[in-house]
Amino acid sequence: MMEKSIGADAQRVDGADKVKGNALFGADRILPRMAYALPVTATIGKGRIRSIDTAEAEAMRGVLVVLTHLNTDRLKPLQFVFAGGHGIQSFQPLQSDIVLYRGQAIALIVADSLEAAQAARSLVRVDYETASFAVELDGRGSETVNQSTALPYFPDFVAGDADRALSTAAITVDETYTTPAQHQNPIELLATVAEWAGDCLIIHESTQASQGLCGGLALQLGIDPASVRVISPYVGGGFGQKNSIAPHTVMAAVAARRVGRPVKLVVPRDQVFHATSFRSAAKHRIRVGADSTGKIIAAIHEMRAQTSRFDLMPFTGAETTSRMYGIPNFRSGVTLVKLDTQTPGFMRAPFEMSAFFALEGAMDELAYKLACDPVELRIANDTHTDPITGKAYTVRRLADCLRRGAQQFGWARRSAEPRSMRDKDGTLIGWGMAAGAYPVIIAAALATVRLNADATAEVWVGGHEMGQGIRTAITLVAAEELGIEPQKIRVTIGDTIAPPQHVTAGAWGTATATPPVLEAARSVRAQLIELAGSKADSPPGSAQYGELLKRSGLSHLDGHAQWFAPGQKPEVIAKAKQGLIAIRGPEFPDCVAFSYIAHFVEVRVNPRIPRARVARIVSVVDCGRVISKRTARSQVYGGLVWGVGAALSEESEVDPRFGGFLNSNIAEYQIPVNADMGSCEVDFIDEPDLKLNSLGVKGLGEIVCVGAAAAVANAVFHATGRRVRDLPIRIEDLM
Ligand code: MOS
């Protein structure tokens, strides 16, 4: 009998393949006669190309062609993902002389070797006509729109009468918090290998959306989606950067068609900052009012967030801040600020990371004003009814996250006064905490599970392995149900040969892929029991599978399942098959669902050179049932690194004189390294949320960094007495 696999600390099933170099990422494909493409990008903030001279570059040995707006293929329009399309943005470079932002591609060099392409880049001569532009949230020349008016699908969140209730509050906080633009910077760069076989296009790419790429490319190129296959078995980090079709992919496809050879295009790190999405800069005015007992009676959360000049990227942080606590009177409002960059998009916990820096900072400020413990304040304002819809939450173990985290951290030993805790050498010690929530979102999926006569199995389902461990989770579910070892199961995901490959994002991957896999495996199991002719409720041991199938003259057994989120209609499968987003949640027909987290952080600050360093973090998560403990824990570690980065170092710098993002490299865009992290302790509540799916899975990828930056900032306040409301917190803020 095999050990219980689900929830156990099982190994990452693709770990060995990754370590041995057998796992093929997008750019790892090396095809015969492959050519290399490299974009040339605009060096002005905005304007148009007056002339572009590619003669010298094209004359260089090894260069096959230089594509510009003058000679490249015309593409059909692509819609922005929030306008119902497949694109990371609607604007497609190389289609005209227009330059909408610094870093936009304006030419593509295609050469025999990467070296030739690199060398030719500097030989492209461009003469620009410049135009004025805006890149700052409060800068001149921007344009603003009210989100709920411009995008009725993203309304404000309202309960009761927040303005009236706030005016009666005994204690109020009214502060402005800002978070900068940030870039995802996964280790793996954006990369496409495009090859044509006659009229059929094969794309090898690391993407979170192989179906989206398939549907989007077909539209752009005006070809049948059935003649496009996108293959993406591994992604070296996505974080939202790779969840829709970005300009480099179609450029590679067009280049491959033009030169009649496969083309590899790897977007260099310095270009990545303008080649796809990023997290918009945001500013939050947050007002919270409580009565004298610490019961919060009202909150108003108003946001300004950046979008591009040509697309409206919504900012939906109040979807979650409005339901974090039982605040009976609430109102939100969002102003979108159109700036001259590429369109911002999703970056891990896309809105919540910023919105909870504001909310959880304000909660800390409120706790100090009330002279109340911040953990107790949050527990006192917990709720089981969603103030916005009046519906019940599904499993909501926020208070348990808070209590368990406080216990594991030793929170009771904290003295509340700022600057009251010091090490022997005078180092200031700060203990801070914050909580977070993230909506449970689920997509529709189909799964096939095949059991072979040699007791190996194959699984086909939608999903993308970005390192988060979805392949491991899928394997563990199938292994347990089929009663075979995880190593005997092969999982095909991220490949449009098994549609629909839902966009893997929003922390919905596991909750979407594993329920149909369970059901399909159950069907195989039922067939095994039937073949065995046994009245028992379990099939014989896997050693007998071969014999059973042989006796019945079968080479394999197939189980199929389709699965929808609660309240989702079967029609969504058609949408998903076109690579369009087909999701449900956080509101389901009779419930509202979120994942929760509590973070406890210790920072240490040298009083002479006041640089905050994170010494330890304890985080406790309610993400429903944990399917794959090892990869889940690892995902939380990653999210905490994000929290520390957001709090202390990460910012994409803009300058109104130049446009674009200027620190476009990971030397100057600073991400925490090992020495910046201290110790991280992670725990899971691990209670299945069975209202949502048969496995009780909620979501984990996004929740882990929600509130993390606030916890660090609150700890910095406790250490230093400085309340920094503008991220990142740098030495100069603490001088
Ligand atoms: Mo993720 S930020 O939803 O791709």
Side-chain angles (χ1 to χ4, degrees), residues 22 69 121 164 188 194 196 224 302 346 363 397 450 550 591 608 618 624 627 643 698 711 714:
N22 294 334
H69 67 279
R121 231 172 6 155
R164 209 188 50 189
E188 188 197 19
W196 288 88
D224 181 359
E302 291 168 306
F346 302 90
M363 287 296 284
R397 300 281 299 271
R450 170 171 296 177
K550 204 171 126 199
C591 57
R608 286 169 295 277
V618 171
I627 299 281
K698 294 205 279 190
N714 293 343

Side-chain angles (χ1 to χ4, degrees), residues 3 7 47 92 135 149 189-190 200 208 210 214 342 358-359 379 447 460 676 682 699 726:
E3 257 180 83
Q92 306 196 68
V135 285
T149 312
L189 298 165
L190 302 168
C200 290
Q208 300 169 242
S210 48
C214 176
Q342 78 269 31
L359 176 67
I379 291 172
W460 292 270
D676 296 316
V682 169
D726 187 8

